[in-house]
Amino acid sequence: MASSSDLTPLSDRVEELLSRPGPLPIVAAGDPVLRGAAEPFDGQLDPALLARFVSALRETMHAAPGVGVAAPQVGVPLRIAVIEDPAPVPDEIREVRGRVPLPFRVLVNPVYEPVGTARAAFFEGCLSVPGWQAVVARPAEVRLLAQDEHGGPVDEVFTGWPARIVQHETDHLDGTLYLDRAELRSLSSNEAMARWWAQPTPSEAAKGLGFPL
Ligand code: ZN
């Protein structure tokens, strides 16, 4: 049964979230807000409120720390996400994973489609599934169609780690978690990752845990 708070206009919900200082609380897996299709953004927040919300999402992403946060992860079912990755990783990992710096950007109403058939499989994690990582094979290159925070059109091709981030965050807006696409036998705690699977690729993990790559 829906509670009355579900009927509160999204702008009121966002105002309430922003009324408290600091990073926004992140919703964990199991909350239905992470499993529904978020509403297309169509002016539900006025430009000033949208700007404040985007700023809070960015602060929340930095504080986590993470490389992306989608609005449903803070309990707001709108098709908005922020992404940013300074990519502070060793050169070997940067080369193998294509983890190049991704400047901050806002994705409004994003959709992506694969470019070509190449796939890349690496461990990834999610702020809404804290403490765990799993291997996800994803299209290695995607075309992103979206709007920016000012309503301007975005049509851009992403490869490497930025392509993974774009897919992960856009999936959140469709109620999809990375675990839905993961090799579940690869599921590893952060402690196990550090102990066993810190290599640049998951090939050792595939052998050790018994999953296909
Ligand atoms: Zn996530």
Side-chain angles (χ1 to χ4, degrees):
M1 187 173 157
S3 68
S4 58
S5 64
D6 292 329
L7 303 174
T8 306
L10 287 170
S11 58
D12 288 359
R13 205 179 304 178
V14 170
E15 285 281 13
E16 189 195 338
L17 276 176
L18 299 181
S19 68
R20 291 180 286 270
L24 306 174
I26 292 178
V27 168
D31 189 310
V33 73
L34 292 173
R35 289 314 201 166
E39 283 181 34
F41 179 73
D42 186 25
Q44 293 93 331
L45 314 180
D46 68 38
L49 184 56
L50 176 64
R52 288 169 58 213
F53 182 49
V54 161
S55 171
L57 286 174
R58 187 180 191 186
E59 179 187 359
T60 303
M61 171 175 67
H62 288 166
V67 295
V69 170
Q73 290 184 277
V74 297
V76 176
L78 283 173
R79 301 185 80 84
I80 298 171
V82 298
I83 58 177
E84 180 176 19
D85 184 12
V89 295
D91 286 346
E92 185 191 11
I93 286 182
R94 186 188 310 283
E95 281 167 30
V96 172
R97 299 184 189 169
R99 189 163 169 189
V100 294
L102 173 66
F104 175 75
R105 52 197 307 166
V106 182
L107 309 181
V108 176
N109 299 329
V111 294
Y112 66 82
E113 60 188 32
V115 176
T117 56
R119 292 171 76 81
F122 291 105
F123 277 99
E124 66 182 72
C126 178
L127 297 177
S128 294
V129 189
W132 298 90
Q133 299 179 50
V135 170
V136 187
R138 293 186 181 274
E141 185 167 302
V142 294
R143 178 182 179 192
L144 174 77
L145 297 171
Q147 288 123 41
D148 65 21
E149 64 271 47
H150 309 295
V154 174
D155 180 350
E156 198 170 329
V157 171
F158 290 84
T159 60
W161 211 256
R164 181 168 297 270
I165 295 169
V166 161
Q167 292 172 71
H168 180 117
E169 299 309 328
T170 302
D171 284 353
H172 271 301
L173 307 179
D174 294 319
T176 297
L177 296 177
Y178 83 100
L179 289 172
D180 302 337
R181 305 189 186 283
E183 278 296 341
L184 285 183
R185 290 189 63 108
S186 71
L187 187 65
S188 299
S189 69
N190 287 345
E191 293 74 18
M193 284 296 301
R195 165 81 173 81
W196 297 99
W197 313 128
Q199 306 86 10
T201 79
S203 57
E204 289 298 314
K207 284 184 223 148
L209 299 176
F211 62 89
L213 271 186

